[in-house]
Amino acid sequence: MPKALPENPTGSSGSAGDDALSSLLGTIRLSGSLQFCFMPTGSWQTDAAPSLAQLSADASGTMPFHVVAEGSCWLELDGVRTALETGDVIVFPFGSGHQLGAGENGRLVTPTQDLPQKPWRDIPILRYGDEARRVRLLCGYLQCDALSFLPLRQSLPKLIHTRTQGANDADWLRATIRQMVAEVDRPRAGGIAMLPRLTEIAFIEILRHQILMAPPAATGWFAALADPRLSRCLALIHDDPKQDWSLKRLSAASAASRSTLAERFRMTLNTSPMRYLRDWRLHLASVALGTSGQAIAVVAHAAGYDTEAAFNRAFTRAYGKPPAAWRKALKAPPPVCP
C-alpha cells in the first residue's frame, strides 16, 4: 500500500469502472463536518496529533481532512514532511496521526484544545499571532462507511494529497474551496448544513480520481476498475447483487473465460469472483444495519443467507463484531478529529 498519492491524475476511466464506484458511493452513508477554520501566522507547529484509532475503538471510517485555503505550510506524517500550498486538499483515510506547521521551531498551537464548546452557531475561527505571513486551513472530518468494504480499504493510501493549483481538471475543486471559504467568511442561514455537503462532493470526486492513478500493472480495487473485463464484472455484481450469479454467468457476461476471470480476480484483488460477491452483499448488509430499521433476519435474507445464525457468523468474521453490535456502534457520534 502506498503511503501517499501526491499528484493529480489525468485522463478518464471507463464507464464500467465509474458505474462500480457509483454503486459503492450510492449505497453508503457519507457524512461530513467542517469543524473549524484555523489561521496561524509566522512560525508555528501543532502538537503530534494522535490517530483516531488511538482516540476511539469505533473510529473506523472517520477521515480527518484539511483544506489549505490560503498560504503554505508543511505536513509531517511518519517522519516525512510534505509541502502544502494554497488549494491543496489532504485526507487521512485511516485517521493517521500527523503534525502541521510553518517554518522551523515555531510556537506550539493546539487548535483542537482551543475550540469553544458545542453547539456552534457558526464555524469557529481560531487565530494565532499577528505576523504578516498567514496560513488558513479548513479542518474537519468525513464519516465514510465505504471504508468497511475491504477491497476499497486495501486500495487507499494513508494520505490522499490533491493539488488544485495549476491542475487543468481541478476548476470544480477550486470553486468548491472558494465556496467553502465564503460560507465561513460570510455566515448565512443554512451554512452549517451547506459546508458538509460541499465537503462530501469534493471527497467523492477526489476518490474517483484515484482510479486514474492506478498503473496498468497495479493490484487492488482501483486497478480492477481500470481493467475492462474486471470492471465489467464488478459493475454486474454491484448493479444487481441479488442476482443468482455463478462464475459461469459472470464470465460469460464479462466476455472472459472462467479461468481467465478467476485468475484476474486472484492477481488483482487477491480474491475470487464469488467471494467478492459475498463480500459486497455483506457490505450492503452493513449499510442496511446502519441506515434502516430492518430486522436482522430481513437483512440476512437480503444478503443471501437462509438463517440469521449463518449471517451472524459470516458478518462477525468480516466485520469483527456481530450485526447487532455493529448497528449500535454506528449510532455513536464520531470523535473530535485532530
Side-chain angles (χ1 to χ4, degrees), residues 231-241 245 249-250 253-254:
S231 65
R232 191 175 299 117
C233 183
L234 295 183
L236 292 168
I237 291 173
H238 283 245
D239 289 345
D240 194 4
W245 293 113
R249 293 187 64 194
L250 284 172
S254 303

Side-chain angles (χ1 to χ4, degrees), residues 27-67:
T27 55
I28 61 172
R29 294 187 310 160
L30 186 62
S31 59
S33 172
L34 181 62
Q35 291 186 333
F36 59 92
C37 178
F38 173 40
M39 298 172 60
T41 63
S43 295
W44 57 274
Q45 59 185 326
T46 63
D47 54 353
S51 69
L52 290 180
Q54 293 173 297
L55 295 177
S56 171
D58 293 317
S60 177
T62 302
M63 301 179 293
F65 70 87
H66 304 296
V67 177

Side-chain angles (χ1 to χ4, degrees), residues 216-232:
T219 59
W221 198 64
F222 294 151
L225 295 183
D227 181 302
R229 292 180 181 176
L230 283 181
S231 65
R232 191 175 299 117

Side-chain angles (χ1 to χ4, degrees), residues 101-318:
E104 296 295 334
N105 302 316
R107 67 183 180 280
L108 181 67
V109 295
T110 55
T112 54
Q113 296 181 19
D114 297 334
L115 287 170
Q117 289 191 348
K118 291 186 176 181
W120 301 331
R121 183 175 179 178
D122 299 314
I123 298 297
I125 299 177
L126 303 179
R127 295 180 173 86
Y128 297 90
D130 55 5
E131 292 92 335
R133 188 179 65 184
R134 185 177 74 170
V135 182
R136 191 174 198 188
L137 295 162
L138 306 181
C139 306
Y141 69 85
L142 282 162
Q143 181 71 35
C144 182
D145 291 349
L147 291 186
S148 66
F149 186 50
L150 189 60
L152 172 62
R153 185 178 180 86
Q154 291 177 333
S155 294
L156 289 174
K158 295 180 69 173
L159 168 67
I160 297 176
H161 179 193
T162 302
R163 296 190 185 277
T164 66
Q165 290 279 54
N168 295 329
D169 60 346
D171 289 344
W172 64 269
L173 188 51
R174 285 191 291 268
T176 301
I177 292 173
R178 286 196 298 269
Q179 185 61 37
M180 293 170 71
V181 173
E183 293 290 344
V184 174
D185 285 345
R186 299 184 296 276
R188 296 177 293 171
I192 292 291
M194 177 64 73
L195 283 165
R197 304 291 84 78
L198 292 170
T199 303
E200 293 164 27
I201 292 170
F203 173 73
I204 289 173
E205 188 62 21
I206 289 170
L207 185 59
R208 288 180 63 210
H209 279 187
Q210 305 314 306
I211 297 173
L212 305 178
M213 298 292 292
T219 59
W221 198 64
F222 294 151
L225 295 183
D227 181 302
R229 292 180 181 176
L230 283 181
S231 65
R232 191 175 299 117
C233 183
L234 295 183
L236 292 168
I237 291 173
H238 283 245
D239 289 345
D240 194 4
K242 294 184 180 180
Q243 179 69 250
D244 186 21
W245 293 113
S246 64
L247 179 58
K248 180 178 180 180
R249 293 187 64 194
L250 284 172
S251 60
S254 303
S257 68
R258 282 179 284 182
S259 59
T260 296
L261 187 65
E263 179 66 10
R264 290 198 180 200
F265 261 82
R266 186 185 69 81
M267 294 295 294
T268 307
L269 292 168
N270 194 31
T271 189
S272 68
M274 302 313 294
R275 190 176 298 119
Y276 184 96
L277 173 61
R278 179 204 64 189
D279 291 344
W280 177 241
R281 286 173 172 171
L282 285 173
H283 171 70
L284 294 179
S286 75
V287 173
L289 290 169
T291 60
S292 76
Q294 293 178 330
I296 292 178
V298 174
V299 175
H301 179 74
Y305 289 86
D306 294 330
T307 67
E308 186 175 337
F311 172 68
N312 283 346
R313 289 194 295 270
F315 192 92
T316 302
R317 283 196 300 269

